Each structure stands twice: as C-alpha cells, then as structure tokens.
Amino acid sequence: MRAGFLGLGAMGYPMAANLRRAGLLAAVWNRGRDTAARFADEHGVTVADDPAALARECDLLVTCVSADVDVLAVVEALLPGLRRDAVVVDCSTVASDTARQAADKVAAAGGAFLDAPVSGGTEGAAAGTLSMMVGGDESAFAKARPALDAMGGRVVHMGPVGSGQATKAVNQVMAAGINQAVGEALAFAEALELPLERVIEVVGSGAAGNWFVNHRGPTMVRGEYTGFGFKLALHHKDLEICRHMADNNGGSLPLADRTRADYERLMAEGHGDEDISALYRLKRMLFD
Amino acid sequence: MRAGFLGLGAMGYPMAANLRRAGLLAAVWNRGRDTAARFADEHGVTVADDPAALARECDLLVTCVSADVDVLAVVEALLPGLRRDAVVVDCSTVASDTARQAADKVAAAGGAFLDAPVSGGTEGAAAGTLSMMVGGDESAFAKARPALDAMGGRVVHMGPVGSGQATKAVNQVMAAGINQAVGEALAFAEALELPLERVIEVVGSGAAGNWFVNHRGPTMVRGEYTGFGFKLALHHKDLEICRHMADNNGGSLPLADRTRADYERLMAEGHGDEDISALYRLKRMLFD
C-alpha cells in the first residue's frame, strides 16, 4: 500500500507520522507548504505539488481537515489524479450528508470512500490509540484496515457511508455532556476546598471516571486552556451539526444545547480558540 | 491486624471477601443474620453476636451501611466493646457532618475514625479495584492502609475527617452528570439507527470514554436496569446531600438538580430500586 496524507493539522500531523512509522506513507500535501516541508523533513517522505499529484502516486488517500467545505474541496482536488480502485479515507468531523456527497464524487471517479472520524484527542493521535468510527463498504474498509490500525487503537466499522460521521456526532454530544458534568463537579470540589489533584486522581478511577477528567482535569483546575486539545469553536460547529440531525429526527439534545449556548458566550468573550475544557471558566461561576 | 466487617450488603459483601482473601478478616456482623451466616460459611470466619462483641476481638472495624442514621447507630453499638487504639473505617456514603459526629463518638472511646466512601460499583467491589476517598488522621490512615489496599485499587487520603465524604459528594455530582450525558447521547444514537453495541465500543474508547458507558451502556440499550449496580433511590439521597452542601457554600449544581428531579419522577413511577442507568427510560423519550 502507498498512502498519501492531506491535512497536517493538530490531529493530522501525528496521525500521518504513525502511518509513516508503519511503513505505509509515501507522500503528503498540506495547504500550508511550510508544515508539509517540515513533515517531509522529519519523516523522510515527499511533498506533492497538489492533491491530484498526490492521488496519482497513491492507492490510499487520507484527508483530515476542519470543515465540510474543506472536505469537499480537497476531494474535488484529488479527483483528476485518482487511480481506479483507490480508497479515500476522510478523518475530518463533518455532516453525514457531506460524507455521502464526497463518496458520490469519489465513486464517480472509480474509487471508494470511507468516512472515518476519530476521537481521542491530540494525545490519542500521537500515541496511535484513536477511536475510529468508520462508514463505507466492507471491501473498502478491509483494504484501508492496515492504515486505520496504524492510526487507531479501536477501529470499528459502523455501517454505510455517513454512519462514521453519525457516530462521531453521538460522540460529540456525549463529550459535551461530560464537559458539563466534570466542570460542575470540579467547581463543587473547589468550593469545598478539597485538594483538587487528589480529587481528580480518586474520582477519575471510580464509577464517575472518564477520559476528560483524567486528561483535562489537571489543566482545568490550574486555569490552563491553551496550547493543547480541541478548539471550543470546532466543538461548537460539531454541536450545530448535531442539533440539525436531532431536529431532522424529531428530537432534542438539551445538554448539548446548553453546552452550545455556553460555548457561544465563551466565543463572544474571545475564548473560541481554547480547549473545550475552558467551559470551566463558566462553571466556576456557579459558586461565585 | 484483626479486622471485623459490619454491613454485608451489595458492596460490603464482596469488600469483606477481599479483606478475608488478604488474610485480614477475623469476624463479621450483619443486621440480617442469614447473610452473615452465609458469608461465614463461604469464607471461614466467625459471626459476632453484636457489634460490641465484634469490636472486642478486632483492632480494625469496617462499616458499610446505607444511611446516615445507620452509620451513627452501628458506631454507637460498637463503642461498648471498642479497644483503645482501634480504628473504625466507615465506607458508607453519608454527609461529612455525620462522619464528624461518628468520629467524635469514636474518639471519646479512645479510637480513631476514618470516613472512606468508595466508588467503582459492585464490579469494583468484587475485583478489589474500588476508588477509596479517605478522611481522617494520617496515623489512622497508615494503620488502616493494608485493609484499604485489600479492598481498593486507588486509595487516596483527602484530608481531615469529613473530606472523604466531601470527595464522594463530588463523585456523585460527576456521576449524575455523566448519567445525563451518556443517556442523551445513546438516545441520539438510537434515533439515528446506529448499531448501539458498536457505538458503545468505539465512543467508549475515545475522548468521550467513561466508566459508565462501558459498564452500563450495554445493559441500557437492552432496557435492563435491575439485578446489578447502584440503586437510583440511593443516588437520589446522595444528591440531596450534595444540594445541601452546595447551598451551604452559596452555589448551585444545575445538572445534579436536573438528575435529582428526573430520579424523583422515576421513583414515583416505581423505579427507585433500579440501577441509576434507568434514567435512560426518560432520555429515550427525547426522541419519541
């Protein structure tokens, strides 16, 4: 397998590095050339001139970008060079509809498409332990499997194209609620003047234990929200998608809605680029 | 060390068994004699006639009961037989004030008291991997440590008497929020007609991962809420304690309050003895 990677952001960069370590990565492309050059330098792969050039030399293409419009644009840009039987794996978090549109474009050019959004933070991306929720044909999934396993610790096929993104939407709703739960509980602990590092250690190991309190609790209680993690404005965007999906299914997501409203307040105050744990700025005020 | 155990309930029974396996348990007492006899039979220890008789032959006494009034009653009943320098470890979940009252009684009789509530479910109790949040003197903590380690996987000294219970209150608030988060997300997944076992597997391994979705998710999506876990009416009682503590600190716990109200509705409908994951009965209705 010769894989190409497009989109060397906070998640994509370490994911591509894991593909390289597994001996699968041939070349990369990135909108910002400097980052691509740095990656090529560090990992000994070539930089393609454009997405189509990358597609010409690879039979697996992994994309990891930020927004729905970027996914469609990068897939469009791949098409002129796409080999027949190539598989395009998109690890971005976007709407299921976007995944289906991208899949149609790729299918029309003779390739197969998988939506494979991930969860596990920048830590999971670096360690190669990401959860990957994959939608698409069984045969394309089987073909891409070695690459998926190089980037993920738990790789699960969810169903047809779009079902990976639907699962990621469920993940983002759960993450929003957990952010609320952890923030409320730690604000309470702070008001009770408990030793917060120990609270995190012991509560994080019991029936209330969760990834978020273990990985973000220590920074939250120190008031550190930048230079790591998952941008609040991006989670907000995801929760907008979730709201539309819930609407379309005649339901509601009260806890995700609450979180979305809280994020909007934080974004208005200039905190949109901070990690989602910056929600704690508001939760702390419960005990002001 | 000769330890005695009082209160062989759903948590106490397996915790006492772990003390016995570590070679520390000499005798037990339980309000219901049949359970005590069964435990003695299975584990080869004696049954004391009453708490004072148990106290006479042990230098460490572990209590694990359901309510504040039970803790004070069982401690009171121990006192006539309490050895000087005995340590009483209460693993029940009660108010910090109750812990301090119990500690005063024990101190007046020459002993020391630790509040050591636990988290980790009946699974954690059976496996000896409970989180234990311990309040009390350093010296009493050091003395009790071998017994605590036999029952717990993460044993953390939080500060003076009462701080174990305060930490447990934080734990219960976090657990309430996570119950909401998991319920909302799985109801969403069900509405999206995703394969729920796989959703739990993959979401439970990423940044939204948590003990609750991994241990209770599979039963929730099958509509199973009885015969295991933590009774909803008991969590409701704990959240009442939390509300008073938040009031006393001039703050509020909106997500815990929401959960308390949801539990009240479920209790009124006869679900108080079910596991707290029965909250999912209501969350499912978000998409009705």
Side-chain angles (χ1 to χ4, degrees):
Chain A
M1 180 189 297
R2 284 177 61 84
F5 203 102
L6 304 96
L8 300 168
M11 296 294 285
Y13 199 104
M15 290 167 69
N18 281 323
L19 269 187
R20 178 59 179 162
R21 277 177 210 111
L24 302 173
L25 189 70
V28 298
W29 178 84
N30 191 58
R31 197 161 46 183
R33 303 287 301 184
D34 288 357
T35 304
R38 178 158 64 87
F39 185 93
D41 227 44
E42 274 176 25
H43 297 285
V45 296
T46 59
V47 178
D49 284 336
D50 53 57
L54 188 71
R56 252 170 238 118
E57 49 175 320
C58 297
D59 45 18
L60 186 87
L61 297 147
V62 185
T63 56
C64 192
V65 296
S66 285
D68 293 60
V69 60
D70 300 325
V71 170
L72 296 176
V74 79
V75 164
E76 197 75 60
L78 284 170
L79 295 182
L82 199 71
R83 298 186 187 188
R84 286 199 71 79
D85 304 322
V87 180
V88 178
V89 179
D90 178 41
C91 295
S92 319
T93 294
V94 293
S96 294
D97 281 346
T98 303
R100 282 186 285 265
Q101 284 175 49
D104 287 346
K105 287 178 194 286
V106 171
F113 179 89
L114 298 171
D115 52 317
V118 302
S119 180
T122 45
E123 296 94 326
T129 58
L130 291 169
S131 278
M132 306 190 82
M133 4 208 145
V134 191
D137 285 349
E138 280 282 5
S139 64
F141 178 68
K143 228 189 261 184
R145 190 70 198 245
L148 299 173
D149 283 336
M151 299 183 286
R154 189 66 60 107
V155 178
V156 181
H157 186 233
M158 300 304 302
V161 166
S163 61
Q165 295 297 349
T167 305
K168 181 66 190 277
V170 170
N171 186 84
Q172 298 307 70
V173 165
M174 201 179 294
I178 287 174
N179 198 354
Q180 295 281 352
V182 170
E184 180 166 306
L186 291 183
F188 186 37
E190 210 166 337
L192 297 173
E193 300 183 346
L194 288 166
L196 297 175
E197 302 278 337
R198 293 190 206 175
V199 168
I200 290 164
E201 180 190 354
V202 72
V203 170
S205 309
N210 59 87
W211 186 96
F212 192 74
V213 73
N214 290 324
H215 287 79
R216 299 290 176 255
T219 41
M220 282 164 76
V221 299
R222 292 198 298 268
E224 297 170 13
Y225 308 117
T226 52
F228 59 88
F230 179 46
K231 284 196 171 76
L232 194 149
L234 290 177
H235 197 196
H236 177 268
K237 175 209 73 170
D238 295 350
L239 295 177
E240 290 275 11
I241 297 175
C242 296
R243 182 171 62 101
H244 289 300
M245 292 169 71
D247 280 352
N248 290 343
N249 285 276
S252 66
L253 301 166
L255 197 47
D257 286 348
R258 168 79 263 157
T259 311
R260 209 160 36 76
D262 285 344
Y263 286 169
E264 279 163 21
R265 181 171 160 194
L266 287 163
M267 287 156 71
E269 293 170 4
H271 302 300
D273 282 342
E274 296 180 352
D275 178 68
I276 63 167
S277 56
L279 180 67
Y280 195 48
R281 291 179 182 280
L282 301 185
K283 296 302 137 186
R284 257 179 171 152
M285 294 179 193
L286 290 171
F287 285 88
D288 263 0
Chain B
M1 181 188 299
R2 283 176 63 81
F5 203 102
L6 303 97
L8 300 166
M11 296 293 285
Y13 199 103
M15 289 166 71
N18 281 324
L19 270 186
R20 177 60 179 161
R21 277 179 210 111
L24 302 174
L25 188 71
V28 298
W29 178 84
N30 191 59
R31 197 160 48 182
R33 304 285 300 183
D34 289 358
T35 304
R38 177 159 63 88
F39 186 93
D41 228 43
E42 275 177 23
H43 297 285
V45 296
T46 59
V47 178
D49 285 336
D50 54 53
L54 187 71
R56 253 171 237 116
E57 49 173 321
C58 297
D59 45 18
L60 185 88
L61 297 147
V62 185
T63 57
C64 192
V65 296
S66 284
D68 293 60
V69 60
D70 300 325
V71 170
L72 295 176
V74 78
V75 164
E76 197 76 61
L78 284 169
L79 296 182
L82 200 71
R83 298 185 186 187
R84 286 197 73 81
D85 303 321
V87 179
V88 178
V89 179
D90 179 39
C91 295
S92 317
T93 294
V94 293
S96 294
D97 282 346
T98 303
R100 283 186 284 264
Q101 284 174 49
D104 287 346
K105 286 176 195 287
V106 171
F113 179 89
L114 299 170
D115 52 316
V118 302
S119 180
T122 45
E123 296 94 327
T129 58
L130 291 169
S131 278
M132 306 190 82
M133 2 207 144
V134 191
D137 286 349
E138 280 283 5
S139 63
F141 178 68
K143 229 190 260 183
R145 190 70 199 246
L148 299 173
D149 283 337
M151 299 183 287
R154 188 67 57 110
V155 177
V156 181
H157 186 233
M158 300 305 301
V161 167
S163 61
Q165 295 298 348
T167 306
K168 181 66 189 277
V170 170
N171 187 83
Q172 299 306 72
V173 165
M174 200 179 295
I178 287 174
N179 197 354
Q180 294 280 353
V182 170
E184 180 167 307
L186 290 183
F188 185 39
E190 211 166 335
L192 297 174
E193 299 183 346
L194 288 166
L196 297 176
E197 304 277 339
R198 292 190 206 175
V199 169
I200 291 164
E201 181 191 353
V202 72
V203 171
S205 308
N210 60 87
W211 185 97
F212 193 73
V213 74
N214 290 324
H215 287 79
R216 300 290 176 256
T219 41
M220 282 166 74
V221 299
R222 292 197 299 268
E224 298 169 13
Y225 308 117
T226 52
F228 60 87
F230 179 45
K231 284 196 171 78
L232 194 149
L234 290 177
H235 197 196
H236 178 268
K237 175 210 72 170
D238 296 349
L239 294 177
E240 289 276 9
I241 297 175
C242 296
R243 182 172 61 101
H244 289 300
M245 291 168 72
D247 280 351
N248 291 342
N249 285 276
S252 67
L253 301 166
L255 197 46
D257 286 348
R258 169 79 262 156
T259 312
R260 209 159 37 76
D262 285 344
Y263 285 170
E264 277 164 22
R265 179 169 162 195
L266 288 162
M267 287 156 72
E269 291 171 4
H271 302 300
D273 283 341
E274 296 180 352
D275 178 68
I276 62 167
S277 56
L279 180 66
Y280 195 49
R281 291 179 182 280
L282 302 185
K283 296 302 137 187
R284 257 181 173 152
M285 295 179 193
L286 290 170
F287 285 88
D288 261 2

